[in-house]
Amino acid sequence: MLEKPIQLQGQIERITFQNEDNNYIVAKIKVDKTQNLVTIVGNIIDPCPGEILIMQGKWINHPKFGTQFLINNYKTKYPATETGIIKYLGSGLIKGIGPVMAKKIVQCFKEHTLDIIENNIKKLTKIEGIGKKRVLMIKKAWDDQKEIREVMIFLQSHDISSTYAYKIFKYYGNNTIKIIVKNPYKLPEDIFGIGFILADKIAGKLGIKKDALYRIQAGILYMLKQKADKGNTYCPYDELVWETVNLLNVKKDLVINAIKTTESEKKIVIENINNITKTFLTRYYFCEKKISLNLKKLVNSFKSIRKINSEKALEWVEKKLTIKLALEQKKAVKKALDKKVLVITGGPGTGKTTIINAIIKIYSQLNIRIFLCAPTGRAAKKMKEATNHEALTIHRLLKYSIQQKGFQKNERNLLSCDLLIVDEASMIDTLLMHHLLKAVPDTCSLILVGDVNQLPSIGAGNVLNDIISSNAFNVIKLNTIFRQAKKSMIIVNAHKINNGFFPVLNTNKYNNDFFFIEKQEPEEIVNTITELVKNRIPKKFGFNPINDIQVITPMHKGTTGAGNLNHQLQQSLNPNKEGIKKGIFEFKVSDKVMQIRNNYNKNIYNGDIGTIKKINFADQNMIINFDFNDIEYDFNDLDEIVLAYAISVHKSQGSEYPVVIIPVTTQHYILLQKNLIYTALTRGKKLVIMIGTKKALAMAIKNKKSSKRHTGLENRLNELT
């Protein structure tokens, strides 16, 4: 005989635990007029203190937490008492009303408060601190909250968390349910953070057949996007077919037919090169073609800069800068004066900055227009400091416009420059290089500077490496470490690692800027890192724990991964108690954070690091300071940022930090690669500390196989020779 469900009604007093991914909560409720609080557990959409729940369920006895009421289903209704309304409005539910304002409103309108907000909201202007602008904000939040309830119930039934529900509702508005029912595969295209797997689950619940053409097409595009996320601009055709078959559990001939249809719709391009059939997302195929064509035009067009005597120029610049250039540096400067396109590559301490300064000094005498740029804000800032010449990010150079939804500098509106020098070129992916080159005038000279031994770009492509490997352009490879640089064990060891040799550990022969601390257990490593950041390094060297010290780790997960390290370092370095939870993170004032996607609306880009300056719980936003610019973030946009006390090696590219700490453990064996350790080490400017095992470090140095990327650019550039 089935147990009859028990009905329970109560007002939510506080929420003690909430999982935003599945809406599971643990909360305390007040039942009737008694003061005793009852613990409830179950799945509830957006519970708010003060809200009344009418629940059906059963009593259970938890071995650790005692008696609890397990909810099977429930209904909600607005609170009726003044205390309940204050809790409800002050819970953060309504943007524009915090706990203090909620109390003021309820003191004025008593138990009629919610009726006033619903039917006569203009009366709120009676309250001190509420003007017309705030009334509009409150009205919009109240209306959205009512509308989103229906949407969220629908989305929750399809396994979408409340975090994404808000973003979906914000994007689609009142058409949310209609759009998702019609084509759930639009979600990954439109909503950051939602992938094909979730969209496919929703499609299954909506009754979409497994062999539906648009499901298979969505799977094909998903597989190609996955490949692009791993750095590839194409996928071998046979690999794409079989991986899509396995992903979707459909017949091979259906996938082949869907590929043909997708190609006819110009969403993908299939190309046969050297008896290999390659499948590109159209944008990557187009960008590779345009990069090669624009570089060809650049090489074959005349220079707008008049020819000068390079020997005399070298002699003059050495006197002006009071330096003596080495032979390979002289060769680089000569090539820069003579050739239209030049690549300069080399590791730290090989004189790249000296060469750039000499080139700028010489060309400045000709009164030509010289532009400097780099892929990231930190790299551009570093370039400006090193050259004493204005340097911009590529995005700012190309003038991205929110209104026009694109770069304003392009083939129709070219950059007005005679010489363009691009630093940290190894970081530039296929899409960004395409946009940059199409804005460069044919008469301009181009110099690409970078360290080809570092990790390739985060985005798809291996542009700098492909340009060098094509042998279609003049390339200067710098190998000599200069005398001053030889005093730094950071630089000496970077070159040792790059050449496959074990680094020199803990010697007093050179400057004490590199240390290796041997620790076996991951927990020991984490504890040592925390102690170093908080106490030992600031005390001995005077560096600021948050601004000067950066922990760089090979992995996101695991004990010594970025996730756990961020949690431990936040607890140790940030004493602030109050914060806002979003996903796996809790953000607090003074936290160090990083932007993880390009946001053109905010003019903030992937990899930018800032500090949380202010959190406004009433308006549900926070202010983050990035390089002295205060940027506002809505609480629903917080999936764009992560804590940045510890970051991945990829995210550190293009940046330099006074102090770098690198955990190196066999926990990271999947990612232990030579170029990864080399990249992390070369981020440190004044002090680098590695912590872990010599075995793990040796494994990384021996592993020269960085994952090969599938790109078509080198082959296209080979055609130029």
Side-chain angles (χ1 to χ4, degrees), residues 321 352-361 364 370-373 379-392 421 423:
L321 296 176
K352 295 192 297 292
T353 302
T354 302
I355 292 167
I356 294 171
N357 279 326
I359 293 166
I360 293 169
K361 193 73 175 173
S364 295
I370 304 169
F371 286 179
L372 274 57
C373 68
K381 187 179 177 185
K382 184 178 75 171
M383 195 181 190
K384 183 178 179 179
E385 288 168 354
T387 62
N388 202 27
H389 190 286
E390 183 64 36
L392 301 173
I421 303 176
D423 200 10

Side-chain angles (χ1 to χ4, degrees), residues 530-546 548-549 573 659 687 689:
T530 305
E531 178 62 19
L532 282 166
V533 175
K534 187 177 182 182
N535 297 316
R536 286 165 62 181
I537 294 174
K539 189 175 178 181
K540 184 170 182 179
F541 298 99
F543 291 111
N544 182 287
I546 293 176
D548 296 334
I549 304 172
L573 298 173
V659 182
L687 177 66
I689 300 173

Side-chain angles (χ1 to χ4, degrees), residues 166-214:
Y166 277 114
K167 293 179 84 70
I168 294 166
F169 180 76
K170 190 176 176 182
Y171 193 89
Y172 296 135
N174 295 332
N175 294 319
T176 298
I177 296 173
K178 190 169 145 186
I179 289 167
I180 293 173
V181 168
K182 186 178 178 183
N183 183 6
Y185 297 105
K186 270 187 71 60
L187 285 168
E189 294 175 29
D190 298 334
I191 312 298
F192 173 70
I194 292 186
F196 171 83
I197 303 300
L198 180 54
D200 200 41
K201 274 187 187 176
I202 297 167
K205 287 194 173 186
L206 292 171
I208 292 168
K209 292 182 179 178
K210 278 193 171 186
D211 60 358
L213 175 62
Y214 76 99

Side-chain angles (χ1 to χ4, degrees), residues 55-75:
M55 302 159 284
Q56 282 195 330
K58 63 180 181 179
W59 293 102
I60 59 171
N61 193 39
H62 191 281
K64 185 176 179 182
F65 300 110
T67 304
Q68 299 175 332
F69 188 78
L70 176 63
I71 303 163
N72 290 333
N73 57 69
Y74 71 96
K75 291 190 294 185

